[in-house]
mmCIF file of all heavy atoms in Angstrom:
data_model
loop_
_atom_site.group_PDB
_atom_site.id
_atom_site.type_symbol
_atom_site.label_atom_id
_atom_site.label_comp_id
_atom_site.label_asym_id
_atom_site.label_seq_id
_atom_site.Cartn_x
_atom_site.Cartn_y
_atom_site.Cartn_z
ATOM 1 N N TYR A 35 88.345 87.747 104.504
ATOM 2 C CA TYR A 35 88.895 88.551 103.424
ATOM 3 C C TYR A 35 90.148 87.910 102.820
ATOM 4 O O TYR A 35 90.324 87.877 101.612
ATOM 5 C CB TYR A 35 89.210 89.946 103.952
ATOM 6 C CG TYR A 35 90.074 90.775 103.042
ATOM 7 C CD1 TYR A 35 89.563 91.307 101.857
ATOM 8 C CD2 TYR A 35 91.404 91.039 103.367
ATOM 9 C CE1 TYR A 35 90.352 92.072 101.023
ATOM 10 C CE2 TYR A 35 92.196 91.803 102.538
ATOM 11 C CZ TYR A 35 91.672 92.319 101.369
ATOM 12 O OH TYR A 35 92.464 93.083 100.550
ATOM 13 N N ARG A 36 91.023 87.420 103.698
ATOM 14 C CA ARG A 36 92.248 86.788 103.243
ATOM 15 C C ARG A 36 92.617 85.632 104.157
ATOM 16 O O ARG A 36 92.496 85.731 105.376
ATOM 17 C CB ARG A 36 93.384 87.805 103.191
ATOM 18 C CG ARG A 36 94.731 87.240 102.787
ATOM 19 C CD ARG A 36 95.711 88.359 102.474
ATOM 20 N NE ARG A 36 95.327 89.064 101.260
ATOM 21 C CZ ARG A 36 95.647 88.682 100.025
ATOM 22 N NH1 ARG A 36 96.369 87.580 99.832
ATOM 23 N NH2 ARG A 36 95.248 89.388 98.982
ATOM 24 N N SER A 53 99.448 83.527 100.929
ATOM 25 C CA SER A 53 98.113 84.009 101.264
ATOM 26 C C SER A 53 97.249 84.051 100.018
ATOM 27 O O SER A 53 97.757 84.077 98.889
ATOM 28 C CB SER A 53 98.162 85.390 101.923
ATOM 29 O OG SER A 53 98.562 86.387 100.996
ATOM 30 N N ILE A 54 95.952 84.067 100.240
ATOM 31 C CA ILE A 54 95.005 84.131 99.138
ATOM 32 C C ILE A 54 93.778 84.915 99.583
ATOM 33 O O ILE A 54 93.271 84.729 100.687
ATOM 34 C CB ILE A 54 94.630 82.713 98.650
ATOM 35 C CG1 ILE A 54 93.731 82.783 97.411
ATOM 36 C CG2 ILE A 54 93.984 81.894 99.764
ATOM 37 C CD1 ILE A 54 93.575 81.443 96.712
ATOM 38 N N SER A 55 93.317 85.806 98.723
ATOM 39 C CA SER A 55 92.151 86.619 99.033
ATOM 40 C C SER A 55 90.876 85.887 98.658
ATOM 41 O O SER A 55 90.898 84.810 98.069
ATOM 42 C CB SER A 55 92.231 87.954 98.290
ATOM 43 O OG SER A 55 92.008 87.772 96.904
ATOM 44 N N TRP A 56 89.744 86.489 99.003
ATOM 45 C CA TRP A 56 88.448 85.933 98.658
ATOM 46 C C TRP A 56 88.318 85.769 97.147
ATOM 47 O O TRP A 56 87.680 84.817 96.682
ATOM 48 C CB TRP A 56 87.334 86.823 99.194
ATOM 49 C CG TRP A 56 85.961 86.304 98.929
ATOM 50 C CD1 TRP A 56 85.129 86.667 97.914
ATOM 51 C CD2 TRP A 56 85.254 85.319 99.698
ATOM 52 N NE1 TRP A 56 83.943 85.977 97.996
ATOM 53 C CE2 TRP A 56 83.989 85.140 99.087
ATOM 54 C CE3 TRP A 56 85.561 84.579 100.834
ATOM 55 C CZ2 TRP A 56 83.044 84.253 99.581
ATOM 56 C CZ3 TRP A 56 84.621 83.691 101.331
ATOM 57 C CH2 TRP A 56 83.386 83.541 100.708
ATOM 58 N N SER A 57 88.911 86.678 96.396
ATOM 59 C CA SER A 57 88.858 86.634 94.948
ATOM 60 C C SER A 57 90.042 85.905 94.328
ATOM 61 O O SER A 57 90.296 86.032 93.134
ATOM 62 C CB SER A 57 88.769 88.059 94.384
ATOM 63 O OG SER A 57 89.852 88.849 94.827
ATOM 64 N N SER A 58 90.778 85.166 95.152
ATOM 65 C CA SER A 58 91.860 84.281 94.710
ATOM 66 C C SER A 58 93.115 85.001 94.240
ATOM 67 O O SER A 58 93.882 84.459 93.441
ATOM 68 C CB SER A 58 91.358 83.336 93.613
ATOM 69 O OG SER A 58 90.341 82.484 94.108
ATOM 70 N N ILE A 59 93.348 86.199 94.727
ATOM 71 C CA ILE A 59 94.628 86.862 94.506
ATOM 72 C C ILE A 59 95.638 86.275 95.486
ATOM 73 O O ILE A 59 95.389 86.221 96.689
ATOM 74 C CB ILE A 59 94.515 88.381 94.694
ATOM 75 C CG1 ILE A 59 93.532 88.965 93.677
ATOM 76 C CG2 ILE A 59 95.881 89.041 94.556
ATOM 77 C CD1 ILE A 59 93.227 90.429 93.885
ATOM 78 N N THR A 60 96.768 85.837 94.977
ATOM 79 C CA THR A 60 97.731 85.115 95.803
ATOM 80 C C THR A 60 99.043 85.866 95.975
ATOM 81 O O THR A 60 99.448 86.654 95.117
ATOM 82 C CB THR A 60 98.032 83.735 95.206
ATOM 83 O OG1 THR A 60 98.568 83.893 93.884
ATOM 84 C CG2 THR A 60 96.775 82.894 95.145
ATOM 85 N N TYR A 61 99.694 85.594 97.088
ATOM 86 C CA TYR A 61 101.031 86.096 97.375
ATOM 87 C C TYR A 61 101.847 84.965 97.967
ATOM 88 O O TYR A 61 101.317 84.108 98.670
ATOM 89 C CB TYR A 61 100.999 87.273 98.351
ATOM 90 C CG TYR A 61 100.356 88.515 97.809
ATOM 91 C CD1 TYR A 61 99.009 88.769 98.037
ATOM 92 C CD2 TYR A 61 101.090 89.440 97.076
ATOM 93 C CE1 TYR A 61 98.404 89.907 97.538
ATOM 94 C CE2 TYR A 61 100.494 90.581 96.576
ATOM 95 C CZ TYR A 61 99.153 90.815 96.808
ATOM 96 O OH TYR A 61 98.562 91.951 96.312
ATOM 97 N N ILE A 72 98.976 77.905 96.842
ATOM 98 C CA ILE A 72 97.856 78.080 97.747
ATOM 99 C C ILE A 72 96.573 78.189 96.938
ATOM 100 O O ILE A 72 96.552 78.777 95.857
ATOM 101 C CB ILE A 72 98.041 79.323 98.654
ATOM 102 C CG1 ILE A 72 96.957 79.383 99.727
ATOM 103 C CG2 ILE A 72 98.085 80.606 97.833
ATOM 104 C CD1 ILE A 72 97.201 80.450 100.782
ATOM 105 N N SER A 73 95.517 77.610 97.443
ATOM 106 C CA SER A 73 94.227 77.667 96.783
ATOM 107 C C SER A 73 93.135 77.682 97.836
ATOM 108 O O SER A 73 93.373 77.351 98.998
ATOM 109 C CB SER A 73 94.038 76.483 95.827
ATOM 110 O OG SER A 73 94.079 75.255 96.530
ATOM 111 N N ARG A 74 91.953 78.079 97.428
ATOM 112 C CA ARG A 74 90.836 78.082 98.360
ATOM 113 C C ARG A 74 89.549 77.725 97.640
ATOM 114 O O ARG A 74 89.383 77.999 96.449
ATOM 115 C CB ARG A 74 90.694 79.435 99.067
ATOM 116 C CG ARG A 74 90.205 80.575 98.187
ATOM 117 C CD ARG A 74 90.219 81.908 98.930
ATOM 118 N NE ARG A 74 89.271 81.941 100.046
ATOM 119 C CZ ARG A 74 89.208 82.918 100.945
ATOM 120 N NH1 ARG A 74 90.060 83.940 100.876
ATOM 121 N NH2 ARG A 74 88.309 82.876 101.920
ATOM 122 N N SER A 75 88.660 77.125 98.380
ATOM 123 C CA SER A 75 87.315 76.854 97.911
ATOM 124 C C SER A 75 86.369 77.565 98.858
ATOM 125 O O SER A 75 86.169 77.131 99.993
ATOM 126 C CB SER A 75 87.024 75.352 97.882
ATOM 127 O OG SER A 75 85.667 75.117 97.587
ATOM 128 N N ASN A 76 85.818 78.665 98.398
ATOM 129 C CA ASN A 76 84.910 79.434 99.243
ATOM 130 C C ASN A 76 83.648 78.643 99.578
ATOM 131 O O ASN A 76 83.108 78.752 100.680
ATOM 132 C CB ASN A 76 84.546 80.749 98.556
ATOM 133 C CG ASN A 76 85.737 81.660 98.380
ATOM 134 O OD1 ASN A 76 86.708 81.593 99.135
ATOM 135 N ND2 ASN A 76 85.680 82.528 97.379
#
Side-chain angles (χ1 to χ4, degrees):
Y35 166 73
R36 177 168 291 275
S53 69
I54 185 168
S55 72
W56 182 263
S57 57
S58 297
I59 298 173
T60 60
Y61 293 94
I72 188 171
S73 61
R74 71 185 295 171
S75 173
N76 295 334

